[in-house]
């Protein structure tokens, strides 16, 4: 009897110890898993944006595209106020615009001549969602582009065209301006950007005014509204697809219509980026352009912020806004603005 009781107690104790060990093991594993699973999140959440977001400066350049020139210049991103989860900033670009390729016009038929200086300024606000997996932003600004023109891409037309660069008294000042609005969103894989570019000033939208670029051709600053969607195939390689609608106010041969564009962007380093963009619309037809951007500076380098260098969401807080070019298209049958005198058809004798 005593032996039976002792055996029962022994078995019960062994079972109790076994049962007790099971939840302890499960709890320990769960705790370890929770600790490991949240490590990345805790790393991002613990970062101070004031350490991660600092002014950055650099260079950018692009080849001529659909209504845009060959250009190269300098730029800078300056945070005005950095909060716990947001940043207010200003971003400024100054570019030198160069001549078009020989035999190929970036605006249609008349070739752009260099060199002029264009500017672009954006004032923006960006913020992160609660777990910092998405960045959202809004920015607005002003862009300007003086433009010189040369000969035409058509040898026959070239014989009958008077160049504004030679007979400037017969031509208007070519200075195009626009205001811009951009909405953006970005996660570690997906990005989206909706934008509008609206001409203002002498050749602003709704004025009906177009610029005279020589004795035969006119030019117009295009209104452009578009949407771009991007997807990161790899951490340093992104594909993008977009569409746009452009409005041309020239009375003849207008460039108004829809267009599409697609691009590839490769991050050579965290500071150096290269890309190529293909676009198509009925006015400019197929165009291919390349671009290069190098920015240096940014967040403080320490163990706490070093991991942010490869985090695309945090990087997006101090990225340079896109879609800032003043796009121009030319056409034939020049007509003077309603409030200006009709120019003479022949240049004055020299």
């Amino acid at each position: 009897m005593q032996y039976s009781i002792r055996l029962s107690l022994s078995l019960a104790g062994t079972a109790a110890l076994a049962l007790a060990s099971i939840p302890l093991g499960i709890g320990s594993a769960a705790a370890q898993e929770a600790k490991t699973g949240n490590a990345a999140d805790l790393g991002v959440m613990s970062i101070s944006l004031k350490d991660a977001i600092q002014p950055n400066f650099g260079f950018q350049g692009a080849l001529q595209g659909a209504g845009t020139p060959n250009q190269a210049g300098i730029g800078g991103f300056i945070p005005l106020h950095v909060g716990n989860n947001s940043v207010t900033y200003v971003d400024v670009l100054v570019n030198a615009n160069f001549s078009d390729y020989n035999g190929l016009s970036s605006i249609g038929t008349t070739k752009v001549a260099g060199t002029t200086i264009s500017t672009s300024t954006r004032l923006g606000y960006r913020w992160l969602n609660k777990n910092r997996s998405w960045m959202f932003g809004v920015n607005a600004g002003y862009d300007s582009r003086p433009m010189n023109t040369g000969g035409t891409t058509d040898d026959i037309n070239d014989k009958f065209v008077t160049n504004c660069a030679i007979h400037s008294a017969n031509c208007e000042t070519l200075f195009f301006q626009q205001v811009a609005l951009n909405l953006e969103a970005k996660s570690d894989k997906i990005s989206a950007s909706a934008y509008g570019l609206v001409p203002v000033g002498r050749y602003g939208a709704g004025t009906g005014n177009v610029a005279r670029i020589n004795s035969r051709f006119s030019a117009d600053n295009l209104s452009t509204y578009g949407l771009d969607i991007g997807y990161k195939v790899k951490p340093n390689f992104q594909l993008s697809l977009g569409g746009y609608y452009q409005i041309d106010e020239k009375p003849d041969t207008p460039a108004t219509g829809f267009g599409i564009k697609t691009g590839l962007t490769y991050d050579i380093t965290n500071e150096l980026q290269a890309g190529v963009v293909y676009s198509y619309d009925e006015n400019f037809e197929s165009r291919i352009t390349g671009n290069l951007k190098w920015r240096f500076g940014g967040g403080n380098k320490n163990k706490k912020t070093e991991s942010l260098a490869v985090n695309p969401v945090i990087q997006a807080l101090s990225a340079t806004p896109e879609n800032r070019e003043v796009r121009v298209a030319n056409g034939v049958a020049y007509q003077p603005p309603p409030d200006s005198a009709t120019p003479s058809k022949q240049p004055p004798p020299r």
Side-chain angles (χ1 to χ4, degrees):
M1 182 68 177
Q2 290 180 352
Y3 175 78
S4 176
I5 292 174
R6 289 176 182 174
L7 180 59
S8 299
L9 291 173
S10 177
L11 292 174
T14 303
L17 288 173
L19 291 172
S21 66
I22 293 174
L24 286 174
I26 293 176
S28 176
Q32 183 65 30
E33 183 179 354
K35 183 177 179 181
T36 304
N38 292 334
D41 294 337
L42 289 173
V44 174
M45 296 300 294
S46 65
I47 294 298
S48 169
L49 294 187
K50 292 183 179 180
D51 292 331
I53 301 176
Q54 299 291 329
N56 64 73
F57 305 92
F59 306 93
Q60 67 277 336
L63 302 177
Q64 70 184 60
T68 61
N70 293 301
Q71 56 188 304
I74 59 176
F77 173 93
I78 303 173
L80 302 177
H81 174 74
V82 180
N84 294 331
N85 238 25
S86 63
V87 58
T88 303
Y89 67 91
V90 62
D91 191 279
V92 179
L93 303 179
V94 179
N95 286 322
N97 303 325
F98 306 112
S99 301
D100 284 344
Y101 306 139
N102 186 30
L104 180 62
S105 169
S106 61
I107 64 174
T109 306
T110 302
K111 291 178 286 187
V112 171
T115 303
T116 59
I117 302 297
S118 62
T119 67
S120 177
T121 304
R122 292 291 182 271
L123 177 64
Y125 178 74
R126 287 168 171 160
W127 69 97
L128 302 174
N129 65 342
K130 186 174 292 187
N131 63 2
R132 294 186 170 183
S133 60
W134 279 89
M135 183 280 295
F136 301 97
V138 57
N139 64 77
Y142 166 83
D143 309 316
S144 68
R145 177 186 174 186
M147 192 178 78
N148 293 330
T149 57
T152 70
T153 57
D154 187 328
D155 291 336
I156 296 177
N157 282 331
D158 222 10
K159 296 177 182 179
F160 302 99
V161 168
T162 300
N163 193 336
C164 278
I166 299 175
H167 302 289
S168 58
N170 283 340
C171 301
E172 301 173 29
T173 300
L174 302 180
F175 184 69
F176 300 109
Q177 308 167 76
Q178 68 185 19
V179 293
L181 178 65
N182 173 232
L183 304 176
E184 57 184 345
K186 185 176 181 65
S187 70
D188 62 338
K189 288 285 188 180
I190 301 172
S191 62
S193 176
Y195 62 93
L197 309 174
V198 183
V200 295
R202 182 72 178 85
Y203 311 111
T207 63
N209 296 338
V210 294
R212 182 184 185 187
I213 56 178
N214 51 44
S215 61
R216 181 167 179 173
F217 292 96
S218 60
D220 186 30
N221 182 6
L222 299 175
S223 300
T224 307
Y225 305 91
L227 174 66
D228 296 330
I229 304 294
Y231 180 76
K232 274 190 176 290
V233 181
K234 293 184 177 181
N236 61 345
F237 187 74
Q238 175 173 289
L239 300 175
S240 64
L241 179 65
Y244 57 91
Y245 183 71
Q246 59 194 23
I247 300 175
D248 181 7
E249 299 198 0
K250 291 190 302 297
D252 298 307
T253 61
T256 300
F258 288 96
I260 60 170
K261 63 179 180 178
T262 183
L264 306 175
T265 302
Y266 179 70
D267 296 330
I268 302 171
T269 68
N270 289 332
E271 300 173 334
L272 183 62
Q273 184 183 81
V276 59
V277 177
Y278 167 84
S279 66
Y280 178 85
D281 60 67
E282 289 188 0
N283 181 73
F284 294 106
E285 298 182 329
S286 293
R287 300 279 177 147
I288 298 178
T289 180
N291 58 77
L292 188 69
K293 181 170 60 181
W294 178 38
R295 286 293 176 99
F296 47 88
N300 297 331
K301 301 296 182 182
N302 55 51
K303 291 182 179 179
K304 198 173 185 181
T305 61
E306 207 167 89
S307 62
L308 293 181
V310 293
N311 186 300
V313 178
I314 302 298
Q315 274 186 326
L317 288 170
S318 56
T320 299
E322 303 292 338
N323 296 302
R324 303 167 68 164
E325 295 87 358
V326 177
R327 304 178 64 237
V328 177
N330 81 242
V332 297
Y334 170 77
Q335 295 184 5
D339 59 345
S340 65
T342 302
S344 61
K345 294 182 180 180
Q346 297 295 330
R350 292 176 62 87

